[in-house]
Amino acid sequence: MKNPLFAMIERRREGFKIGIPSYCTANELAIEAVMEQSKRFAEPIVIEGTANQINQFGGYTGMTPSDFRDYVHGIADRINFEHDKIILGADHFGPLVWSDLPADEAMNNSKELLRLAILAGFTKIHLDTSMKLKGDPENERLSNEVIAERGVILLEECEKAYQELLKTNPNAMRPVYVIGSEVPIPGGAQEDDGGVQVTRVSDFEDTLSRYKRKFKEHGISDKWQDVIAVVVQPGVEFGDKDIHQYDRNAARELCDILKEYPDVVLEGHSTDYQPPKKLREMVEDGIAILKVGPALTFALREGLFALSMIERELLPEDKRANFIETLERVMLENPSNWQKHYRGSDEEMRLARKYSYSDRCRYYFSLPEIKASIAKLFSNIDSVEVPAGMLRQYMPVQYRKVRDGLLEMKASSLAKDCVVEIAEDYNYAVKLHYIIGGIF
């Protein structure tokens, strides 16, 4: 079966400036929200997981690739969303989480991870072999030759797994591949370096030429047609406190070179928090795959905090979920997911735990105590009548939708709609003739 992402490439060759968002999150409410808003479109939706989220050892979510597939499909079943509209993506799949191991061992782990991903039905595969492994030269940059060689070795493993999958599922969709890794590690920059350098044209072309030569050396030149995108740094990034907005003039030389490579598009990571107009400019310029992750859970956290403020107004102290306080306590008790990322005084780190663009609190949302607090918060809000003026005070966008009959006055719906607001920015960016009438 032909991968629907090819249709996006073909339409761009015809002159249509379209693209697709890639929602990289394992949060249940965020996934449900982006699925619900996607129901009104015919196009597929991409849901991605990173190698540190999901792998054969569980990752930080505790899920293997097949677990993640079942998890996403379970959410889809709950809201009657078609499985056929879901493209499962594998982000930064390679030795990312095993960089402290010798190359042979790290690559063997990577092969197994990709084999399991293909067998589980992942069909958008970002091959990332850019990180140094134990035994690689310490005082020099990992060569593009080694990066490409390792990437093609992993792609061959994917192809073997796909042939294995066809034996049990003859209609299984072919995977497509994304190469290149000129971005920071998943989750955004850890600190502001004062500027973001756009990928040089020479580096982009070197990535393509070296990979293409490796395909030939490995006797798989016919698979080159399945490479649809190259990950680049188009000049967008976010850190703890700062956002680097897209500057199309700075990226013009990089984007213009795509005229010579009509069969591939650029994939931009860390597009979180970009204004809708900037996202649209990126798609127009050829950055047709827009990765977004932390912005989704950041928006969800905003909604949960707003509901918590409403709860304080309407319920006695002994009845409250106290989500804000619970989240802070759990993060302090288990600091491993934020401690290396936030710097400064105790007060600065306290604020960062709540409001940092890096959104490290998302790592805690799947913990039983946090899930229980969210469930109690939703139950509390649904048990009382929220005055319209109070809803407007704390959730003005959702207030308008409730007022106009576009959104259910239900706590979970209000929280998820904060995520929908982010998804709509991406819909505006990637779809032709996007109309917001009747939605906002």
Side-chain angles (χ1 to χ4, degrees), residues 241 342-349:
K241 301 176 182 177
Y342 298 151
R343 297 172 176 83
S345 66
D346 289 347
E347 176 64 10
E348 287 172 322
M349 287 192 288

Side-chain angles (χ1 to χ4, degrees), residues 192-203:
D192 184 11
D193 61 3
V196 176
Q197 298 300 314
V198 174
T199 298
R200 295 181 300 180
V201 169
S202 58
D203 290 337

Side-chain angles (χ1 to χ4, degrees), residues 58 74 123 128 131 175 192 234 237 252 260 299 319-320 326 333 347-348 371 408 413:
T123 56
D128 184 1
M131 62 292 301
D192 184 11
E237 189 50 78
R252 190 172 304 282
E260 299 180 25
K319 300 290 186 182
R320 296 173 196 160
T326 301
E333 291 172 351
E347 176 64 10
E348 287 172 322
K371 292 178 71 173
E408 184 181 13
S413 298

Side-chain angles (χ1 to χ4, degrees), residues 116-301:
L116 293 175
I118 296 297
L119 293 177
F122 285 64
T123 56
K124 178 183 176 291
I125 311 296
H126 173 212
L127 298 169
D128 184 1
T129 53
S130 62
M131 62 292 301
K132 288 184 181 181
L133 307 178
K134 188 176 181 180
D136 287 334
E138 294 183 5
N139 299 319
E140 58 187 68
R141 180 183 179 275
L142 191 64
S143 72
N144 289 340
E145 190 75 8
V146 171
I147 291 172
E149 173 68 20
R150 289 173 177 171
V152 171
I153 288 172
L154 295 183
L155 187 144
E156 287 183 304
E157 194 67 26
C158 292
E159 289 299 315
K160 290 178 188 175
Y162 179 65
Q163 293 305 315
E164 183 180 345
L165 178 63
L166 288 176
K167 294 176 182 177
T168 56
N169 183 6
N171 295 317
M173 185 185 299
R174 276 198 61 76
V176 295
Y177 301 101
V178 178
I179 60 174
S181 309
E182 197 157 332
V183 289
I185 59 173
Q190 290 190 22
E191 58 185 78
D192 184 11
D193 61 3
V196 176
Q197 298 300 314
V198 174
T199 298
R200 295 181 300 180
V201 169
S202 58
D203 290 337
F204 167 76
E205 293 194 297
D206 188 58
T207 294
L208 283 175
S209 64
R210 287 181 188 271
Y211 263 93
K212 199 166 188 178
R213 186 167 69 249
K214 289 297 180 182
F215 273 59
K216 185 175 181 179
E217 290 175 4
H218 283 252
I220 57 170
S221 293
D222 59 317
K223 305 302 180 187
W224 182 250
Q225 63 184 352
D226 295 325
V227 175
I228 65 163
V230 181
V231 174
V232 295
Q233 174 51 273
V236 301
E237 189 50 78
F238 63 91
D240 185 16
K241 301 176 182 177
D242 301 294
I243 300 166
H244 294 277
Q245 291 193 22
Y246 180 63
D247 179 352
R248 71 187 330 172
N249 289 324
R252 190 172 304 282
E253 185 179 2
L254 172 64
C255 294
D256 282 350
I257 198 65
L258 284 175
K259 297 172 185 175
E260 299 180 25
Y261 302 93
D263 295 329
V264 297
V265 296
L266 303 180
E267 176 166 304
H269 290 206
S270 300
T271 70
D272 307 69
Y273 312 110
Q274 293 289 313
K277 181 181 178 182
K278 296 296 184 179
L279 294 173
R280 181 63 200 167
E281 288 178 358
M282 291 172 70
V283 173
E284 290 172 349
D285 294 346
I287 308 157
I289 302 176
L290 302 177
K291 186 70 62 66
V292 55
L296 302 173
T297 42
F298 185 94
L300 177 62
R301 192 270 313 153

Side-chain angles (χ1 to χ4, degrees), residues 419-434:
V419 181
V420 168
E421 288 292 308
I422 304 300
E424 294 296 359
D425 288 348
Y426 285 83
N427 288 331
Y428 165 76
V430 303
K431 300 184 187 303
L432 290 176
H433 311 304
Y434 179 71

